[in-house]
Amino acid sequence: MTYQTLLLEIRDAIAFVTVNRPDKLNALNDQVMLELGKAAESIASEPEIRGAILTGAGPKSFVAGADIGDLARQGPFDGKARAQRGQRVLRRLETCGKPVIAAVNGFALGGGCELAMACHIRIASENAKFGQPEVKLGIAPGYGGTQRLPRLVGKGVALQLILTGEMIDAQEAYRIGLVNKVVPAADLLAESEKMMRGILAMGPLAVRLAMEAVDQGLEMTLDQGLLLEANHFGLLAATQDTKEGLTAFLEKRSAKFQGR
Ligand code: COA
């Protein structure tokens, strides 16, 4: 698959995906969303990809939101359709079964903040800025911001960000739990890769089922979520990876996981 608006490079099992419209601060137009959907599908289905790191081209912006030019032309029905298409793309990324890290290298506004929130982990450079400024444009978040932001930072802080449209810096995003880590800009990709390599050294089936339990469990009652967790725990006991992980510990050696 060739991309016009994304760069996708697979290096040692990690897909490095870069939104590549730096002249428009990597704003998400329809082409970017289409290609992000294809990239999410590749990440999910291609066995040589075991995790993905998502970033934006250029020093200034991760993604500065949905493309305002596209939004200016939409009516109510295509507006709804655009929101649902975008939501599906982000959800596919979130449920691709492999870890996805957002390496946030600058503005993550509107759809950019929403895209980062659909990733499993967010690492921000010191110059990153976050916000849901849609209300300033007379619109509301449409790619999951009203749903994922309160799940990540709590209802009160989420409403403050969504209703005021204010922009916050990386340290504030870290303080409220929106990002996992803040690093110097020069170290962003290396730090993201380091964390990803650490995750990829773990049992891949265990990683996959743990992500699934967290994702699905958040929408369940505690008892349902606990049952799901116990089912996964039991299922993993039938895998070679679990036997290898436990035996390796007892034999005082590193585990060699095969993903089966
Ligand atoms: N959609 C379309 N184009 C965008 C964009 C977006 N969301 N964000 C930035 N751009 C474009 C600008 O129009 C400009 O294009 P031009 O050079 O052809 O005029 C280019 O990217 C550079 O942006 P500019 O505004 O000149 O950079 P800046 O450093 O002065 O400001 C921002 C940076 C992020 C503060 C500002 O671009 C901005 O507010 N963007 C919109 C953010 C937003 O509301 N996102 C949510 C959309 S739902």
Side-chain angles (χ1 to χ4, degrees):
M1 161 86 203
T2 53
Y3 297 97
Q4 293 168 30
T5 62
L6 299 185
L7 305 173
L8 195 154
E9 184 197 354
I10 303 169
R11 235 188 308 127
D12 294 337
I14 300 177
F16 291 83
V17 181
T18 306
V19 181
N20 189 29
R21 292 183 78 210
D23 55 322
K24 296 289 177 193
L25 303 187
N26 305 317
L28 303 172
N29 64 9
D30 290 345
Q31 184 67 22
V32 178
M33 292 310 287
L34 183 76
E35 294 186 6
L36 273 176
K38 297 210 160 115
E41 212 45 64
S42 295
I43 295 164
S45 62
E46 289 178 22
E48 68 267 36
I49 299 175
R50 296 184 49 219
I53 295 175
L54 188 60
T55 194
K60 195 169 159 182
S61 184
F62 174 70
V63 166
D67 191 296
I68 295 171
D70 284 352
L71 304 185
R73 287 186 289 274
Q74 73 189 11
F77 287 95
D78 45 329
K80 179 178 176 182
R82 173 170 287 116
Q84 288 183 316
R85 274 198 311 275
Q87 289 169 358
R88 274 196 297 275
V89 168
L90 269 52
R91 188 71 181 134
R92 187 68 187 111
L93 201 59
E94 190 172 37
T95 58
C96 72
K98 298 169 187 173
V100 182
I101 295 179
V104 182
N105 57 312
F107 293 116
L109 303 175
C113 190
E114 290 168 315
L115 178 61
M117 288 192 289
C119 298
H120 303 108
I121 290 170
R122 284 150 294 287
I123 302 183
S125 64
E126 284 165 344
N127 65 318
K129 298 257 191 307
F130 295 80
Q132 296 290 158
E134 288 89 343
V135 287
K136 293 184 181 174
L137 302 165
I139 57 173
Y143 290 169
T146 62
Q147 303 307 304
R148 290 193 181 90
L149 191 55
R151 281 168 168 78
L152 274 170
V153 305
K155 184 177 170 184
V157 177
L159 277 170
Q160 181 187 336
L161 289 171
I162 291 169
L163 301 187
T164 65
E166 74 183 279
M167 225 192 280
I168 57 171
D169 64 18
Q171 281 305 337
E172 178 65 359
Y174 177 70
R175 192 188 70 77
I176 65 174
L178 179 55
V179 302
N180 301 73
K181 199 171 177 179
V182 180
V183 300
D187 301 340
L188 179 64
L189 283 180
E191 288 284 339
S192 302
E193 180 169 352
K194 188 170 154 205
M195 189 183 284
M196 181 64 80
R197 297 267 169 230
I199 297 170
L200 295 187
M202 306 298 142
L205 300 177
V207 165
R208 184 183 194 116
L209 290 186
M211 288 196 305
E212 204 174 296
V214 170
D215 184 77
Q216 294 185 3
L218 274 173
E219 312 310 320
M220 294 175 171
T221 65
L222 180 63
D223 283 334
Q224 289 166 336
L226 290 172
L227 180 59
L228 177 71
E229 182 184 89
N231 284 337
H232 284 179
F233 199 75
L235 183 60
L236 284 168
T239 67
Q240 289 298 317
D241 276 0
T242 295
K243 287 185 187 61
E244 166 63 9
L246 301 177
T247 308
F249 178 84
L250 296 173
E251 292 175 354
K252 300 189 187 305
R253 60 174 174 82
S254 309
K256 287 197 178 61
F257 295 113
Q258 309 284 337
R260 56 193 157 88

